[in-house]
Amino acid sequence: MFNWFTPKRETWLFRVNPALKFIVFFAFLIITLVNQSLSFAISQAILYGILFYVFSGYSLKKLSLLSIPLAISFLSTGLTMLLFGKGEAVIWQWGLFKISEESIQHALLLGSKSLSFGFVGFTFILTIQPVLFFYAMMQQFRLPSKYAYSFIAAFRLIPAVTEELQIRRNALKVRNIQFSKGFRGFYERLQSYTVPLFAQSIRRAQRIAVAMEAKQYQMGAARTYYYPTRYTGIDMVFLLVMICSLSSAFFLSIYR
């Protein structure tokens, strides 16, 4: 599963400090959320689309698959606003459906915002390493280590849980376990899978706690980091490019 998220090539976005990238992309999402200008919303969607399709470093096939939920989100939000939006300049109406000039603008605005959210979110997820992201949050933004290490431990346990789920599925198949149909079958499956997985998770959590105590892990104590993260020249380039691009999109939306 995690191999799917291996990029075809590592672009310059991969070398940007993950914590700084998170702050900049979060600011982009806030700007997208509060913006009410249609032309600026479209410019933002184009800008974030360029980041996603050109600088994420993934193959066209993977980007096309990730574009499916974005297209569904754009169409669902846009069509809902288009057919049921309010407006005085009515173009077409049939029963509850009504299309007006205002609803068309609102549909494009909402659709562009949904695209922007998707492009920014996917670009961030595809161009970071989760472990380095939490290390950067601890070192650059002083995120308490108890939260960061909790997320890192949970992330690293996902493959183990997936493997145990597959083992449990194979074990039930070897024993020729048959489940009932309908809701009773769903309950039987839930009971057969969740109880063993939950018990195994408790054992694994206990082993991790013992290992952390053996390594003298203490809350709030000063510590060194296995992965040191720091700001570099590429971070300044990233910041300047993002500010200039967003400013260009804003002024183009005003003066075009």
Side-chain angles (χ1 to χ4, degrees), residues 6 58 86 91 96 106 114 123 135 137 148 151 184-185 204 228:
T6 302
Y58 282 73
K86 296 180 180 178
I91 299 174
L96 294 176
H106 290 156
S114 66
T123 304
Y135 270 92
M137 291 298 291
F151 281 109
R184 183 179 177 82
R204 186 177 295 104

Side-chain angles (χ1 to χ4, degrees), residues 16-245:
V16 177
N17 185 292
L20 175 65
K21 195 189 310 180
F22 171 75
I23 295 299
V24 171
F25 281 5
F26 184 73
F28 281 176
L29 295 181
I30 296 296
I31 293 172
T32 302
L33 185 65
V34 301
N35 171 45
Q36 295 300 323
S37 168
L38 174 59
S39 55
F40 185 43
I42 294 175
S43 301
Q44 281 181 297
I46 294 173
L47 169 63
Y48 303 150
I50 292 173
L51 287 177
F52 176 66
Y53 288 109
V54 180
F55 297 112
S56 66
Y58 282 73
S59 65
L60 185 60
K61 180 181 178 182
K62 292 181 179 179
L63 294 178
S64 300
L65 288 174
L66 292 174
S67 299
I68 294 175
L70 298 181
I72 294 174
S73 173
F74 174 80
L75 291 175
S76 60
T77 55
L79 283 177
T80 303
M81 183 58 69
L82 177 68
L83 297 176
F84 300 100
K86 296 180 180 178
E88 300 296 330
V90 178
I91 299 174
W92 176 79
Q93 185 170 10
W94 183 69
L96 294 176
F97 303 110
K98 184 173 71 173
I99 298 177
S100 63
E101 293 180 1
E102 293 87 345
S103 68
I104 293 175
Q105 293 184 358
H106 290 156
L108 290 174
L109 177 64
L110 201 59
S112 300
K113 285 188 175 188
S114 66
L115 279 181
S116 296
F117 274 101
F119 286 144
V120 173
F122 276 140
T123 304
F124 178 73
I125 292 172
L126 295 177
T127 58
I128 67 160
Q129 297 182 36
V131 174
L132 289 183
F133 169 64
F134 288 110
Y135 270 92
M137 291 298 291
M138 282 190 289
Q139 296 173 55
Q140 270 72 60
F141 293 101
R142 306 302 178 193
L143 176 70
S145 58
K146 59 182 178 181
Y147 300 118
Y149 282 113
S150 298
F151 281 109
I152 292 174
F155 183 78
R156 289 194 179 279
L157 288 178
I158 292 176
V161 174
T162 306
E163 184 182 5
E164 284 184 7
L165 182 64
Q166 184 62 43
I167 293 173
R168 182 65 180 164
R169 183 182 294 118
N170 293 336
L172 293 175
K173 190 181 295 183
V174 169
R175 294 173 187 171
N176 196 23
I177 302 296
Q178 300 294 327
F179 295 105
S180 305
K181 296 183 179 179
F183 182 77
R184 183 179 177 82
F186 173 75
Y187 175 75
E188 291 174 354
R189 286 186 176 84
L190 194 66
Q191 193 175 29
S192 299
Y193 281 98
T194 54
V195 174
L197 291 178
F198 187 65
Q200 190 64 22
S201 298
I202 292 175
R203 294 192 195 100
R204 186 177 295 104
Q206 186 180 15
R207 289 199 294 269
I208 293 174
V210 171
M212 294 180 76
E213 287 182 1
K215 292 182 178 180
Q216 302 296 314
Y217 179 81
Q218 297 177 359
M219 292 290 182
R223 57 185 306 108
T224 58
Y225 297 98
Y226 188 76
Y227 297 108
T229 60
R230 57 183 64 88
Y231 295 118
T232 61
I234 195 69
D235 298 321
M236 182 60 69
V237 173
F238 168 74
L239 204 55
L240 290 175
V241 169
M242 292 299 107
I243 292 174
C244 291
S245 301

Side-chain angles (χ1 to χ4, degrees), residues 3-10 14 56-59 62 126:
N3 291 334
W4 198 91
F5 290 95
T6 302
K8 185 178 180 181
R9 58 186 172 88
E10 289 196 357
F14 287 83
S56 66
Y58 282 73
S59 65
K62 292 181 179 179
L126 295 177

